[in-house]
Amino acid sequence: MSNLGVNNWNNSGQRLGITEPISLGGPNELDVTKTQELEKFLAAAGLYESQEEAVSREEVLGRLDQIVKIWVKAISRAKGLNEQLVQEANAKIFTFGSYRLGVHGPGADIDTLCVGPRHATREEDFFGELHKMLSEMPEVTELHPVPDAHVPVMRFKFSGVSIDLLYAKLSLWVIPEDLDISQDSILQNADEQTVRSLNGCRVTDQILRLVPNIQNFRTTLRCMRFWAKRRGVYSNVTGFLGGINWALLVARICQLYPNALPSMLVSRFFRVYTQWRWPNPVMLCAIEEGTLGLQVWDPRKYPKDRFHLMPIITPAYPCMNSSYNVSSSTLRIMSEEFKRGNEICEVMEANKADWATLCEPYPFFEAYKNYLQIEIAAENADDLRKWKGWVESRLRQLTLKIERHTYNMLQCHPHPGDFSDKSRPFHCWYFMGLQRKQGVPANEGEQFDIRLTVDEFKHSVGMYTLWKPGMEIHVIHVRRRNIPNFVFPGGVRPSRPTKVAGERRRVLEPNVSTQAVLEGAEDGKKRKREDENVETNSRNAKCLVAAASSSHEVLSSNPLVSTVNACSIKVDSMDINMLGKTRKEKVENNIEHGLKNLNNSVDVPPQNGEVDGSVRCSHPIKTLSSSGGSSSSKEAEKIAIEKIMSGPYVSHQAFPGELDELEDDVEYKNQVKDFTGSTKGSPAESSKANVAEEPLTTTSGTAPCTILSPNGALEELEVLSANPITYICAYIFYSF
């Protein structure tokens, strides 16, 4: 792997990025002071590993490299290769992710890649022989192979250090010790799993080559990762952004301000992305078509790419969108956090706030009055780990479906983490905040009925064919006052925010309108909700009424079809005319309307005579000579940001009826197979074909019922059943 200079900007003397920088200004005294304060803050937060741990990691990586070299020679001999080829046989370990970028913290896992020769197969040799070798080593614990994942991986701990090990089989008979995997030729004749496995290393190395100053990039990225985790927007699986996404966003800011110190880079991060008009893509370099015929991200050519709401494009061939999981709800939340960060950074310039203020934890369990609680359970730790992975991969679909089925009138905020209760082992909890779309007036008695939506989610979860007895999922609606205590630090529920805390929030967020807060305008910690991605014909929708069938047929032959009391649906007079259409018809109308708009907007011709599909700078950008905080400087920056966003991919349109929500999550789309590659039967398998067509009905004596009490409150009567997967049904009416 090639050595990378600390300062690529000065070493190369060339522009980094697809546009000119916004500012070439260097740091002033305030920037130096603020950067020193930032470094102290990050150190105090425990984000740097000790020297002892760093040495231990290096030793583990060295030992792992020795093991794969022994492994490849052993399988070469077993396959009958001559002794010379056996001696020349080689495998090599590469690192990527946070460790390779140099921003990992104490206890973080190490993302590693084993590159092997053409005769070392993934299924038989990597997940077979190497797995066997590792399982027999006393220093290896918690060994967990996942061969059917989108990117096959072997997870384990080596002398206490967590390792994620991928495998790439090249078309070479001998792997040279000085192999450069950044060359596109390395992908020649590679299978899809190898291309995906190599992508992590290739992208990480390319990022380090494309930033002007690696040390400033690392400090800034450490800060942004910490901020994102504290504010609850660090999670790829739930639809926010993961490590590689944040690295790409920070790297682009470093390109736009090549001489800035980390304190200024953090400030400009929020300033730029507050003004960014998504879905304009963030790119570190031009997208090249390549010569190997691999598909690259291009919404002009590939319709599916037009549905991406927040494209953040990887810089290594084949360039692809790294943030396809982002939904309209998570994009809205992140945009609000960018705005908050920008406002605090402006206050910090006047020394009226500090880094701790910027990174205050988001009070998730104080921000809403209604939550969706998802509880899962299993018989043992191993089953719970597998069950968690599957359920987590489906949670994003629940968020998408709720918002889609309510025309984005009911908004979801998924918590990116999970919670456990020491008194209940092998259980795990997830939470989603729920609220009406902000700025839309509420009608008295108006309700959201998401019973069908939750039922669809449960059927999706029930398709897990590695299901075992004891794997359960429970979905219920809880009010803020009923949130379990174990979600709070130390198991102690904090007191409600004081008036002083609320006043400080209003100072930092002066634009939040109290009229835009649902059920509690007094709560100063609530978010302002804006959604600019809702199609025109659903802006005036009041709510969605999911009308269950009035049939009373007993579905005794289908244990996974949940039953509901159709008579419990309350319909306001204003909504009665909506019952003439099914949900499917209404969604199809929305998609048809969106496609008409889409066809009118995405056909953007190449600019500046380009014919190869690469992205070039469409307009010259006049760079700013200083970092200044004056209004004229900010206005110049705003104009520069607008010019950055003008290019061949500008303003491709996306709409909430996203294509991704109709498909399986790619990370777990192959987990419906067992580890041998065959498809097993599951409790859901036999009824899968019938689920979509069967009406929801009631049964007497066995069905959980939902009752609206006279005061409008929801009462649930749960009846235990003999279903192999236990569901506590979320037959929920939200009255606002």
Side-chain angles (χ1 to χ4, degrees):
M1 198 174 297
S2 59
N3 293 325
L4 301 169
V6 172
N7 196 321
N8 296 328
W9 171 258
N10 292 335
N11 291 345
S12 65
Q14 298 179 354
R15 184 192 78 207
L16 297 173
I18 62 173
T19 67
E20 295 292 340
I22 291 178
S23 172
L24 297 176
N28 54 33
E29 291 185 6
L30 180 61
D31 293 329
V32 174
T33 301
K34 290 294 184 183
T35 296
Q36 293 172 346
E37 293 174 356
L38 174 60
E39 291 172 343
K40 292 179 180 179
F41 172 75
L42 298 178
L47 301 186
Y48 296 90
E49 67 179 356
S50 65
Q51 183 62 30
E52 180 181 352
E53 186 175 359
V55 171
S56 175
R57 289 175 181 271
E58 291 291 336
E59 292 175 349
V60 166
L61 289 173
R63 181 78 176 102
L64 186 59
D65 191 63
Q66 293 175 353
I67 291 171
V68 298
K69 293 181 185 318
I70 296 172
W71 161 73
V72 76
K73 292 183 184 298
I75 62 171
S76 298
R77 183 173 286 109
K79 291 178 182 291
L81 274 64
N82 62 52
E83 192 60 29
Q84 180 180 352
L85 289 177
V86 170
Q87 294 303 318
E88 293 177 349
N90 189 34
K92 186 171 175 58
I93 292 292
F94 293 85
T95 61
F96 62 100
S98 63
Y99 184 82
R100 172 63 177 146
L101 289 174
V103 295
H104 61 286
D109 59 2
I110 305 179
D111 295 311
T112 57
L113 170 70
C114 173
V115 176
R118 61 189 303 170
H119 59 277
T121 66
R122 178 177 293 101
E123 295 78 10
E124 180 181 349
D125 298 323
F126 181 76
F127 284 108
E129 292 302 319
L130 182 58
H131 176 269
K132 182 180 178 181
M133 285 181 60
L134 293 172
S135 65
E136 295 172 350
M137 302 178 65
E139 57 263 56
V140 175
T141 58
E142 300 181 25
L143 182 60
H144 178 53
V146 191
D148 289 326
H150 188 60
V151 181
V153 61
M154 193 142 52
R155 297 189 173 99
F156 55 92
K157 286 188 176 181
F158 196 109
S159 299
V161 177
S162 296
I163 301 289
D164 282 1
L165 181 62
L166 312 183
Y167 181 65
K169 184 186 73 168
L170 303 186
S171 58
L172 304 174
W173 282 104
V174 177
I175 303 299
E177 196 63 27
D178 60 349
L179 177 69
D180 182 6
I181 61 175
S182 66
Q183 299 298 317
D184 291 350
S185 59
I186 208 77
L187 303 175
Q188 189 76 41
N189 299 322
D191 56 50
E192 291 184 8
Q193 291 94 335
T194 290
V195 172
R196 288 194 289 263
S197 298
L198 286 166
N199 188 59
C201 288
R202 289 166 53 82
V203 168
T204 303
D205 284 356
Q206 191 71 350
I207 290 174
L208 293 175
R209 291 187 180 93
L210 291 172
V211 294
N213 185 294
I214 292 178
Q215 189 55 50
N216 289 343
F217 163 74
R218 285 172 171 163
T219 302
T220 307
L221 182 54
R222 279 188 188 274
C223 177
M224 294 313 306
R225 284 164 56 96
F226 181 64
W227 171 85
K229 292 175 181 178
R230 298 273 282 188
R231 299 303 299 175
V233 291
Y234 189 102
S235 172
N236 181 273
V237 71
T238 55
F240 293 106
L241 301 182
I244 189 64
N245 310 125
W246 292 109
L248 292 169
L249 291 181
V250 170
R252 184 63 180 132
I253 299 303
C254 292
Q255 291 180 340
L256 296 175
Y257 301 88
N259 298 318
L261 290 181
S263 62
M264 179 180 174
L265 290 172
V266 171
S267 173
R268 296 309 182 265
F269 179 98
F270 291 115
R271 181 175 297 179
V272 169
Y273 293 122
T274 294
Q275 299 177 38
W276 199 268
R277 288 183 285 104
W278 305 103
N280 289 287
V282 172
M283 299 181 291
L284 301 186
C285 60
I287 297 179
E288 303 292 346
E289 290 290 342
T291 60
L292 301 179
L294 299 176
Q295 181 175 320
V296 299
W297 185 84
D298 189 344
R300 302 167 303 179
K301 186 182 298 184
Y302 305 111
K304 186 175 180 180
D305 292 344
R306 302 170 191 168
F307 292 87
H308 297 164
L309 301 181
M310 192 182 188
I312 303 173
I313 311 304
T314 56
Y317 177 76
C319 299
M320 59 189 70
N321 178 24
S322 64
S323 53
Y324 59 87
N325 270 352
V326 172
S327 67
S328 59
S329 60
T330 53
L331 174 58
R332 180 184 63 250
I333 293 165
M334 287 187 285
S335 297
E336 293 165 5
E337 287 298 336
F338 291 158
K339 181 179 180 181
R340 171 190 176 272
N342 184 51
E343 292 172 351
I344 292 178
C345 285
E346 290 181 352
V347 175
M348 289 176 64
E349 292 179 1
N351 289 319
K352 295 182 180 180
D354 55 16
W355 296 108
T357 304
L358 178 67
C359 297
E360 279 185 348
Y362 178 68
F364 181 82
F365 292 107
E366 292 293 332
Y368 303 95
K369 284 196 171 183
N370 295 285
Y371 294 85
L372 206 58
Q373 175 182 299
I374 301 98
E375 176 188 356
I376 66 172
E379 290 288 346
N380 53 61
D382 187 59
D383 285 353
L384 181 61
R385 182 175 65 248
K386 297 175 182 177
W387 187 228
K388 277 182 63 178
W390 171 252
V391 173
E392 286 176 357
S393 75
R394 313 309 307 170
L395 288 177
R396 187 179 72 97
Q397 302 299 320
L398 177 59
T399 301
L400 290 171
K401 288 179 182 296
I402 288 176
E403 297 199 344
R404 171 173 172 255
H405 294 170
T406 61
Y407 296 129
N408 275 35
M409 292 297 108
L410 181 62
Q411 297 178 334
C412 301
H413 180 176
H415 191 288
D418 59 77
F419 299 86
S420 59
D421 184 358
K422 293 181 179 179
S423 65
R424 301 182 66 186
F426 314 134
H427 282 69
C428 183
W429 287 262
Y430 303 91
F431 292 88
M432 292 184 183
L434 299 169
Q435 72 169 15
R436 178 188 301 279
K437 181 182 178 181
Q438 297 299 292
V440 177
N443 296 308
E444 185 176 356
E446 184 178 356
Q447 300 174 338
F448 293 101
D449 181 356
I450 61 171
R451 293 177 291 181
L452 263 174
T453 305
V454 172
D455 205 43
E456 287 179 9
F457 168 70
K458 293 182 296 182
H459 285 307
S460 174
V461 171
M463 292 174 65
Y464 185 52
T465 56
L466 296 181
W467 179 89
K468 293 182 179 180
M471 291 182 175
E472 302 175 357
I473 180 166
H474 309 258
V475 182
I476 62 172
H477 164 228
V478 294
R479 297 282 186 177
R480 177 170 58 200
R481 61 179 177 271
N482 297 324
I483 291 291
N485 289 337
F486 61 76
V487 307
F488 302 106
V492 178
R493 183 185 298 271
S495 58
R496 290 301 303 276
T498 63
K499 185 175 181 180
V500 174
E503 287 297 325
R504 181 175 69 172
R505 178 74 171 188
R506 284 191 285 273
V507 169
L508 296 178
E509 298 188 0
N511 296 325
V512 176
S513 170
T514 56
Q515 295 179 351
V517 179
L518 167 71
E519 284 195 321
E522 78 285 355
D523 189 353
K525 291 185 178 293
K526 291 212 170 185
R527 296 177 179 270
K528 179 182 178 183
R529 299 297 195 215
E530 293 178 354
D531 189 355
E532 299 177 352
N533 295 301
V534 182
E535 61 269 49
T536 304
N537 66 324
S538 61
R539 290 183 188 275
N540 299 323
K542 301 301 181 181
C543 67
L544 172 70
V545 178
S549 170
S550 60
S551 169
H552 291 266
E553 178 185 356
V554 178
L555 301 177
S556 58
S557 62
N558 193 342
L560 281 184
V561 175
S562 301
T563 57
V564 301
N565 185 347
C567 299
S568 65
I569 297 178
K570 179 179 178 181
V571 183
D572 294 333
S573 58
M574 57 171 286
D575 298 317
I576 196 71
N577 59 345
M578 299 178 64
L579 294 178
K581 290 185 177 181
T582 65
R583 175 193 299 170
K584 180 179 179 181
E585 290 171 334
K586 284 179 281 188
V587 171
E588 287 176 347
N589 290 341
N590 288 341
I591 294 177
E592 181 180 359
H593 177 82
L595 285 174
K596 290 180 181 178
N597 293 336
L598 187 64
N599 293 331
N600 292 333
S601 62
V602 299
D603 190 16
V604 181
Q607 300 183 15
N608 295 341
E610 61 174 343
V611 295
D612 61 353
S614 304
V615 178
R616 307 299 180 201
C617 179
S618 301
H619 301 279
I621 298 176
K622 184 177 180 180
T623 58
L624 306 178
S625 59
S626 64
S627 60
S630 65
S631 59
S632 60
S633 176
K634 291 180 181 179
E635 185 63 28
E637 280 186 299
K638 183 176 181 179
I639 295 173
I641 294 170
E642 285 295 323
K643 290 182 178 180
I644 287 171
M645 289 186 290
S646 60
Y649 301 119
V650 69
S651 298
H652 70 276
Q653 182 177 346
F655 53 90
E658 299 172 35
L659 186 65
D660 286 335
E661 70 179 276
L662 304 178
E663 301 176 352
D664 287 344
D665 188 277
V666 293
E667 187 68 26
Y668 281 86
K669 67 178 181 180
N670 293 322
Q671 279 208 7
V672 295
K673 298 180 180 179
D674 63 17
F675 288 167
T676 64
S678 61
T679 302
K680 292 183 177 180
S682 73
E685 192 72 13
S686 60
S687 61
K688 177 182 176 182
N690 299 326
V691 166
E693 301 297 328
E694 292 286 359
L696 294 175
T697 65
T698 58
T699 61
S700 58
T702 61
C705 299
T706 304
I707 302 174
L708 274 175
S709 62
N711 61 3
L714 174 70
E715 298 178 0
E716 294 185 5
L717 304 179
E718 179 192 356
V719 180
L720 296 179
S721 68
N723 291 354
I725 299 182
T726 301
Y727 299 118
I728 295 182
C729 302
Y731 298 158
I732 303 166
F733 287 101
Y734 294 102
S735 296
F736 297 100

